[in-house]
Amino acid sequence: MRSTYLTVLTAGLLLGAPPTYAADDWVVPNQYIVKYPAGDVATHNTGFYRSLHEIGFPFTSTKNYTSPLFPGTVIDSAKLSLEQLKDLPDVADAWPNTYIPPSEGIKEGEVELPESASASFNSRSTKKRDTVGYLHRSYRKAMKAPLEKRQGGTQQDYWRAIHGLTGVQRLHDAGVKGAGAKIAIVDTGFYVQHPALGGCIGPSCKIIDGWDFISNDSNPGTGAGEDSHGTTVAAVAAGKDSIITGVAPDAKLLLYKVIPDYGESQYTSDLTNAIDAILRAVEHGADVISHSIGSLVPWSIGPMQALIDNTVASGIIVTNAASNMGTDNVGTLADRGAAKKSLTIGNYGTKYIHGYEVTATSDGSSKAIVYALGNVAPSASTLGVQVVFASDGVTVADACTDTLPSSFAANKIVLVKLGDDPACTGTGGDAAERLKAIWDAGAAAVLAYGTSPYGNFQEIGNDRVAGFLHNQADADWILNKIAANKPVSITFPTKANYKVKALENSGALDNTTYPSSGSGPTYDLFMSLAVSAPGFNYLSASGRYDGYTVAAGTSFATPYVAGIAALYIGAKGGHTALGPAGIAALREKIITSGTPLRAFPYRGESFPSGALDAVWRQGAGLVNASNVFYTPVEITPAKLDLNDTVHFTSNRQITIKNTGTTPLTFTLSHEAALGSYILYPGVPTIPPFFGGPTYDPAIKATVTIPTTSVTIAGHGSASLALQFAYPSGLTSSRWPLYGGFIRVRSSAGDTFTVPYFGSAGSQKDLTLLLGPPDFKFQAAGTSITGSSSLSLTNPLDRPVVTVRLAIGSAQVRVDYVKTSWTANNWSYPPTPGANNFVANVYDGVRYFTQRWKTDVAKEAMGMDPVFFELPIDGTKSDGTKVPVGNYKVRVAVLKGFGNPTVEADWETWVSPVVTFTA
């Protein structure tokens, strides 16, 4: 399981290079994480080790966990299989340990989008994916929109605009800024010296604790000039300097490095470090723990999921990034975000980008102008403007197509036009390099206007300014002055006096879920997404450039919600003052604060105006900190998972609690969200987002609310019935998902949201195997279609099996069985020598797997098969060989919600006869 940053990407959080889900090279060899049942850890340790000695398996214990949040141990054993381990007394659960590698080619601020859509100020993409064919023109327009609108007038403060979207600004205006709260960030390294993070670690610093779990020392830092995903994430939550205003700027930080930074060795960190980081955060008093990292394992079961659920139950908020694999459709959740009690965050597409205000002066008059896509000046300065003209001496030179002078005055800021040449301002264009050439020719700074480029200019240097004039009127003012022979100068302030302004895009992506935002549900049918938050083109801190960057991804939406939780917790005296019940109520308040987001026709779909995006993509919608903090209302449960039709329960209820002193009247209503078929018709595969899913207005529930209005006295509560009927008459084999929102409006004018979702079919009826497994000779690459004779000692003629899944399975196994084995012989757990079962193939069991990711042509695009060329060389799970003889290879895939003891709950495939010789 490949773990990466949850930034948006042509690379950002999860993803720059697509993660690999079941690649053996990311499993720590022969190492297992074991969780004990609740109880005395020492007793369980003794019993567990005794069992290992009794069955005769050599082992080494590398770590013990004594915390009640995760009692257990980590062992190395070359002979013990995971199945054997799970069957031992004192074992509640066990998992293979996996490495946490650095991201490949991922840089902060980059965006995981199809290549022709990467207009989110990202020109550093090194892993763009060829999904251009899926892009509808409306999507391309939306992605280019941020700089298409040139409005006049005075722009508002960037932070007031961003935080105004979420109600955070109301809290800041009231002096609520997170004092008294502690936020733990678990991520890569951090540029500790950045002023937004306080510059030091210690009891009197903003960063009160830090640890590098890779190097095992107290310095989680990186140096200046280095990429640092962790720096950007931490500053969103609690950064504070003249440029950055975090959500909880007065909160304290605990910074924990568990992922290697860019360029560091891949095999240096594993899941035990991630577990250690959470336990240390708890030990050091964290009120909120935030992860913008994870492996794409969309199941509610796993080591990180178990620890997160226990941590939240103990009274600590944990926020987790969904992922940035939403363009690959459903089931694209990080393992941490799949935990049942996680606050899993999606990415909200805001309408704002940031710009820097400077002053242009000419002939005794001055004008405030704003440039975007650039960096702040290293120091205060006033520079004269030089306009570059084309050969006719009249037309402003086009930096994209015209030949520019070979040198410029060192005290001038050059104003140049960017035309619409695709090689310059189009996808992958080199506009930044063309501006850099002006720098290299001696100019002190460069500003451009005209066609908005794909990419930003921040990365082309730290010591001089480059930027793009967002408002055409600003460029016209300068050009008109110079045309009248009136010199123009521009004054850049000191960094401490810079004004950061909000610039509006065309609104095409406003109030909607960003397309790359990771999507639920889990394969065991939990919605997972809680709310969405700003994380698109977001200004934050960096260890590179001028100290700041434009970031995009759920990596940054997630600490935004962590900051909101900190605002509340800090004002209430800390998480211990609230207690587990108070933290549980806060978690539900955050979810129900959401405002549902509209759907955007990225693929040119046709659906009703005002249609709401799928629940599994957005949760309850855009978070509202004002609702969280100021409204005396608690609603439980905060979201409703209706499951599939087999496990469906029609009658549900929500309880509304009025925690204030004044009676409130509440009115309930229902709003359906878009439902969709997830699988291709006739082909059991999940298409990428831009190749599907198929929205269908018929895929919606019928919801009856018997009591639509109720008045609740102060400190009172009321439970209200809800009756659901799932949609019928659908093609259930295509996995139809539906959802919507119960809206609760109070007489005080506040509105709350309870999202729900379900599957309109039986999960067990879905086809999991994506065709028969590939069974072939590894060296020759030829398929094995008949009986074959193989040597147990000659690896050159060994066969291999590859298993691909259309949907993830809770268990996939590859076994040796006798040639007479039939489905009637099924038994579980299988016993060697009984019912024609011989042994499990070495390394031939996977639990809680991912699907194989395919494009429209069903070509691999990054999610590995659950087994890829698993050797069939006669080696059993214990490392010994099967006796010489005739066998078959059986592949078994457990169906959704399947009972492993029931043969009909497995999809199976059996190979031709394989004869092993000496």
Side-chain angles (χ1 to χ4, degrees):
M1 288 173 289
R2 187 166 298 180
S3 189
T4 46
Y5 313 113
L6 293 176
T7 310
V8 169
L9 252 112
T10 321
L13 155 116
L14 249 160
L15 333 249
T20 301
Y21 292 86
D24 294 345
D25 58 342
W26 295 105
V27 176
V28 180
N30 306 315
Q31 190 169 96
Y32 301 97
I33 300 171
V34 178
K35 184 176 180 293
Y36 297 143
D40 182 69
V41 177
T43 300
H44 287 308
N45 255 336
T46 301
F48 175 62
Y49 295 153
R50 182 187 300 117
S51 296
L52 290 176
H53 285 298
E54 288 175 351
I55 61 178
F57 282 116
F59 72 94
T60 302
S61 176
T62 61
K63 183 174 293 187
N64 288 318
Y65 293 114
T66 60
S67 169
L69 299 180
F70 198 87
T73 188
V74 181
I75 64 166
D76 289 334
S77 177
K79 295 292 186 180
L80 193 64
S81 73
L82 185 61
E83 281 199 316
Q84 292 169 313
L85 189 61
K86 285 173 171 282
D87 287 340
L88 293 178
D90 297 294
V91 176
D93 213 336
W95 307 270
N97 190 15
T98 55
Y99 290 110
I100 306 177
S103 172
E104 299 175 25
I106 296 174
K107 301 291 186 287
E108 58 196 10
E110 296 185 322
V111 184
E112 184 214 17
L113 290 172
E115 184 168 350
S116 69
S118 56
S120 301
F121 318 145
N122 166 32
S123 61
R124 289 174 288 142
S125 161
T126 61
K127 293 282 184 177
K128 292 177 181 176
R129 300 184 301 160
D130 184 15
T131 54
V132 176
Y134 308 146
L135 287 176
H136 187 269
R137 61 182 178 276
S138 61
Y139 179 73
R140 297 190 186 101
K141 180 179 179 181
M143 297 316 305
K144 190 175 179 181
L147 292 180
E148 285 187 343
K149 183 174 181 180
R150 312 281 202 273
Q151 82 285 358
T154 301
Q155 292 86 12
Q156 63 176 312
D157 176 82
Y158 174 78
W159 296 110
R160 294 193 70 85
I162 292 292
H163 294 327
L165 293 170
T166 61
V168 166
Q169 191 58 48
R170 181 181 176 189
L171 274 67
H172 285 187
D173 289 343
V176 179
K177 298 185 177 182
K182 303 173 185 175
I183 305 173
I185 305 292
V186 182
D187 212 282
T188 65
F190 306 85
Y191 181 36
V192 172
Q193 292 76 23
H194 198 290
L197 302 184
C200 61
I201 302 176
S204 60
C205 300
K206 183 176 187 65
I207 306 169
I208 57 174
D209 187 50
W211 197 264
D212 182 339
F213 288 92
I214 302 172
S215 301
N216 198 29
D217 61 45
S218 59
N219 179 18
T222 62
E226 296 183 18
D227 280 332
S228 176
H229 183 268
T231 301
T232 307
V233 170
V236 172
K240 182 181 181 180
D241 68 3
S242 60
I243 302 295
I244 300 297
T245 300
V247 179
D250 291 347
K252 299 293 187 180
L253 287 168
L254 302 89
L255 304 183
Y256 301 127
K257 178 180 178 180
V258 301
I259 285 187
D261 285 301
Y262 307 115
E264 293 185 335
S265 175
Q266 297 180 352
Y267 297 96
T268 56
S269 188
D270 57 53
L271 279 183
T272 65
N273 288 334
I275 294 171
D276 289 340
I278 291 181
L279 297 179
R280 182 177 177 108
V282 172
E283 179 184 349
H284 283 73
D287 298 296
V288 184
I289 302 172
S290 190
H291 295 97
S292 291
I293 57 176
S295 300
L296 288 191
V297 184
W299 291 88
S300 68
I301 301 168
M304 296 307 301
Q305 294 91 316
L307 176 55
I308 287 169
D309 285 342
N310 289 342
T311 300
V312 176
S314 75
I316 298 171
I317 290 287
V318 183
T319 59
N320 299 283
S323 90
N324 300 311
M325 295 292 285
T327 51
D328 297 320
N329 214 321
V330 303
T332 48
L333 290 170
D335 53 352
R336 294 149 178 81
K340 296 183 185 72
K341 296 183 183 298
S342 163
L343 275 176
T344 304
I345 312 304
N347 188 6
Y348 168 74
T350 63
K351 65 182 178 180
Y352 297 114
I353 61 171
H354 82 280
Y356 296 120
E357 184 180 279
V358 293
T359 302
T361 303
S362 177
D363 192 32
S365 63
S366 61
K367 176 179 175 58
I369 65 174
V370 177
Y371 65 91
L373 309 182
N375 52 340
V376 299
S379 60
S381 62
T382 298
L383 301 173
V385 175
Q386 176 182 349
V387 176
V388 181
F389 291 98
S391 57
D392 62 9
V394 177
T395 306
V396 177
D398 185 341
C400 295
T401 56
D402 291 332
T403 300
L404 301 181
S406 59
S407 63
F408 294 95
N411 63 342
K412 294 290 186 179
I413 180 168
V414 173
L415 179 66
V416 67
K417 179 181 178 180
L418 292 177
D420 57 5
D421 180 3
C424 178
T425 53
T427 302
D430 61 356
E433 291 302 315
R434 308 216 183 190
L435 266 61
K436 183 177 183 297
I438 297 174
W439 270 1
D440 293 342
V446 57
L447 292 178
Y449 73 96
T451 302
S452 59
Y454 284 81
N456 66 61
F457 306 136
Q458 190 176 33
E459 65 216 49
I460 59 178
N462 298 333
D463 58 341
R464 288 170 290 182
V465 171
F468 184 85
L469 295 180
H470 172 267
N471 189 348
Q472 180 64 39
D474 290 344
D476 291 342
W477 189 89
I478 295 172
L479 293 172
N480 288 336
K481 291 291 186 182
I482 290 178
N485 294 318
K486 297 177 180 178
V488 178
S489 63
I490 295 177
T491 299
F492 297 89
T494 61
K495 185 177 292 188
N497 292 317
Y498 253 89
K499 294 180 180 179
V500 186
K501 296 296 183 176
L503 306 175
E504 290 190 20
N505 62 22
S506 68
L509 281 179
D510 184 26
N511 196 36
T512 191
T513 311
Y514 196 67
S516 67
S517 186
S519 175
T522 63
Y523 290 130
D524 46 351
L525 292 185
F526 289 95
M527 183 190 313
S528 294
L529 266 291
V531 288
S532 300
F536 173 59
N537 291 334
Y538 196 97
L539 176 62
S540 190
S542 171
R544 298 184 69 191
Y545 317 125
D546 56 347
Y548 305 95
T549 190
V550 176
T554 56
S555 281
F556 314 108
T558 299
Y560 198 100
V561 178
I564 289 175
L567 293 175
Y568 185 95
I569 293 171
K572 302 295 183 181
H575 75 276
T576 55
L578 287 167
I583 291 296
L586 171 59
R587 177 179 173 274
E588 291 171 329
K589 285 174 72 71
I590 290 173
I591 296 172
T592 59
S593 77
T595 300
L597 303 174
R598 67 181 177 89
F600 184 85
Y602 295 107
R603 300 173 299 262
E605 309 96 314
S606 176
F607 41 70
S609 175
L612 299 176
D613 204 357
V615 169
W616 49 90
R617 281 177 40 80
Q618 63 166 307
L622 180 62
V623 68
N624 185 334
S626 181
N627 264 11
V628 173
F629 195 85
Y630 288 111
T631 58
V633 177
E634 297 174 5
I635 303 175
T636 56
K639 53 184 178 178
L640 297 167
D641 293 302
L642 302 183
N643 215 298
D644 68 357
T645 55
V646 175
H647 303 88
F648 179 82
T649 301
S650 174
N651 295 320
R652 302 296 184 107
Q653 71 174 24
I654 59 172
T655 298
I656 305 172
K657 184 177 181 181
N658 178 3
T659 61
T661 58
T662 304
L664 291 172
T665 298
F666 296 90
T667 303
L668 279 66
S669 63
H670 168 241
E671 297 178 13
L674 288 176
S676 65
Y677 284 115
I678 301 303
L679 300 175
Y680 278 124
V683 182
T685 58
I686 298 177
F689 181 77
F690 292 103
T694 304
Y695 289 124
D696 190 323
I699 307 178
K700 63 180 179 180
T702 300
V703 181
T704 302
I705 307 174
T707 302
T708 58
S709 181
V710 62
T711 299
I712 303 175
H715 303 296
S717 64
S719 295
L720 300 175
L722 302 172
Q723 296 171 359
F724 292 89
Y726 57 77
S728 59
L730 304 176
T731 307
S732 60
S733 61
R734 292 188 59 198
W735 198 8
L737 298 182
Y738 64 91
F741 310 93
I742 305 301
R743 303 281 274 159
V744 180
R745 294 171 174 82
S746 81
S747 53
D750 303 303
T751 303
F752 309 89
T753 302
V754 178
Y756 71 87
F757 116 98
S759 176
S762 170
Q763 202 74 352
K764 194 181 293 185
D765 291 342
L766 298 176
T767 300
L768 274 63
L769 270 172
L770 189 58
D774 293 338
F775 192 49
K776 65 182 182 181
F777 290 107
Q778 186 175 40
T782 55
S783 297
I784 302 173
T785 58
S787 299
S788 56
S789 181
L790 308 163
S791 170
L792 288 171
T793 58
N794 182 5
L796 295 180
D797 63 353
R798 72 178 182 183
V800 292
V801 64
T802 295
V803 181
R804 296 179 176 88
L805 299 183
I807 300 172
S809 170
Q811 184 180 162
V812 183
R813 54 183 306 116
V814 182
D815 303 310
Y816 295 112
V817 296
K818 292 184 177 180
T819 57
S820 56
W821 184 90
T822 68
N824 292 331
N825 297 138
W826 184 268
S827 64
Y828 188 91
T831 303
N835 298 302
N836 287 323
F837 176 81
V838 178
N840 179 238
V841 172
Y842 184 79
D843 198 30
V845 179
R846 293 283 188 273
Y847 295 92
F848 304 109
T849 67
Q850 247 296 9
R851 60 186 168 91
W852 185 54
K853 173 182 160 186
T854 60
D855 66 4
V856 172
K858 295 183 290 184
E859 296 176 353
M861 284 177 57
M863 295 182 190
D864 279 356
V866 63
F867 290 106
F868 180 71
E869 297 193 348
L870 180 71
I872 305 300
D873 58 4
T875 307
K876 301 185 293 186
S877 60
D878 62 1
T880 64
K881 295 284 188 175
V882 298
V884 170
N886 299 325
Y887 303 91
K888 289 184 177 180
V889 177
R890 181 188 69 191
V891 173
V893 180
L894 186 61
K895 298 178 181 180
F897 298 126
N899 180 345
T901 67
V902 177
E903 184 277 332
D905 286 359
W906 294 80
E907 291 181 33
T908 57
W909 170 89
V910 180
S911 76
V913 173
V914 176
T915 300
F916 287 111
T917 63

